[in-house]
Amino acid sequence: MYTIELNKRQQKIIEIVKDNGPITGEQIADQLDLTRATLRPDLAILTMAGYLDARPRVGYFYTGKTGSQLLTEKIKKIKVAEFTSMPVVVQDSATVYEAICTMFLEDVGTLFIINKNGHLAGVASRKDLLRASMGKQEINSIPINIIMTRMPNITYCFKEDYLLDIAHILIRKQIDCLPVVKRSDDESGFDVVGRITKTNITKAFVELAHDELL
């Protein structure tokens, strides 16, 4: 896992703060025989990265956390809302054939099925549609609601949930995607407001690693 690489001066600053904190920027500069202005970028980097914390009229102090611990904390704070994709939905009156066409055209692996009120009623995966198409029935006449996984047997999440928790759910249940929902205004069901996939989670971790390298 990537972490920010500190230069020698930044490492020295951390050692000084460890041994003498809380300590002011001017006092750190004096120990390094540098000006406060010269140290300002280094102190800003160390503070933003979480190695140091600063208190007005008190100074800098060491947080006591390693780069790996800081990165772990960042991962745990990421919420679903930050990486939600647009959902692809079909009506529960659609046929399996129509669902297959939608999945192909939208290039997704999971469809969310909504009822006449627009609430989440079911989920159909690529495997569900493939299984249905292999049967002897005519897929133009099979309603999608016959083969879908129905509420309340659907695993879903909210925008406020933590992405790491959702990653654990996807792994444990061996599924590729979850609908992101919110309670409908009339509280009679859930409205689909997004989707979270393994690709979304991978993107989150790649972006986080990229930020750590900057």
Side-chain angles (χ1 to χ4, degrees):
M1 190 171 288
Y2 295 107
T3 56
I4 186 172
E5 292 188 11
L6 304 179
N7 60 37
K8 291 183 179 180
R9 187 160 69 194
Q10 291 164 352
Q11 292 173 356
K12 182 62 177 176
I13 291 171
I14 289 177
E15 291 302 319
I16 290 173
V17 176
K18 274 185 182 180
D19 295 337
N20 303 281
I23 183 172
T24 66
E26 288 77 11
Q27 291 170 328
I28 298 172
D30 288 342
Q31 291 201 32
L32 294 173
D33 198 22
L34 297 169
T35 65
R36 175 71 172 82
T38 302
L39 284 188
R40 189 171 291 116
D42 293 314
L43 291 171
I45 289 172
L46 293 173
T47 302
M48 288 188 292
Y51 289 97
L52 303 181
D53 202 351
R55 300 282 174 81
R57 296 183 297 276
V58 175
Y60 295 91
F61 59 92
Y62 180 59
T63 62
K65 296 172 183 175
T66 65
S68 295
Q69 288 173 323
L70 293 168
L71 186 56
T72 298
E73 285 187 358
K74 289 183 180 180
I75 291 173
K76 288 181 177 180
K77 291 178 182 178
I78 300 173
K79 293 196 174 182
V80 166
E82 299 176 53
F83 289 92
T84 298
S85 297
M86 291 294 294
V88 178
V89 302
V90 297
Q91 292 286 335
D92 58 2
S93 58
T95 65
V96 169
Y97 175 78
E98 290 170 332
I100 291 173
C101 291
T102 300
M103 181 174 284
F104 176 77
L105 292 173
E106 297 292 340
D107 192 24
V108 295
T110 305
L111 296 175
F112 305 131
I113 294 84
I114 57 175
N115 59 26
K116 62 182 180 179
N117 296 318
H119 303 333
L120 178 64
V123 172
S125 69
R126 188 182 289 111
K127 289 181 180 179
D128 294 327
L129 297 178
L130 178 61
R131 189 181 301 113
S133 66
M134 294 174 65
K136 294 181 179 181
Q137 289 182 281
E138 178 56 54
I139 59 175
N140 277 303
S141 62
I142 304 175
I144 189 65
N145 61 21
I146 296 297
I147 69 163
M148 69 184 187
T149 300
R150 296 172 173 272
M151 291 290 279
N153 299 317
I154 299 172
T155 303
Y156 52 82
C157 64
F158 300 93
K159 285 187 174 182
E160 299 78 20
D161 291 336
Y162 290 104
L163 199 63
L164 186 60
D165 293 335
I166 303 308
H168 285 305
I169 291 173
L170 293 179
I171 292 170
R172 186 175 71 251
K173 298 203 170 188
Q174 297 184 349
I175 52 180
D176 296 326
C177 177
L178 288 185
V180 183
V181 303
K182 70 172 183 178
R183 176 70 68 175
S184 59
D185 292 337
D186 60 7
E187 297 191 352
S188 63
F190 293 102
D191 295 334
V192 182
V193 296
R195 79 178 192 273
I196 200 75
T197 68
K198 290 179 178 178
T199 301
N200 295 127
I201 293 171
T202 302
K203 180 181 178 182
F205 293 157
V206 168
E207 288 190 12
L208 184 59
H210 177 72
D211 290 342
E212 288 293 313
L213 286 173
L214 295 180

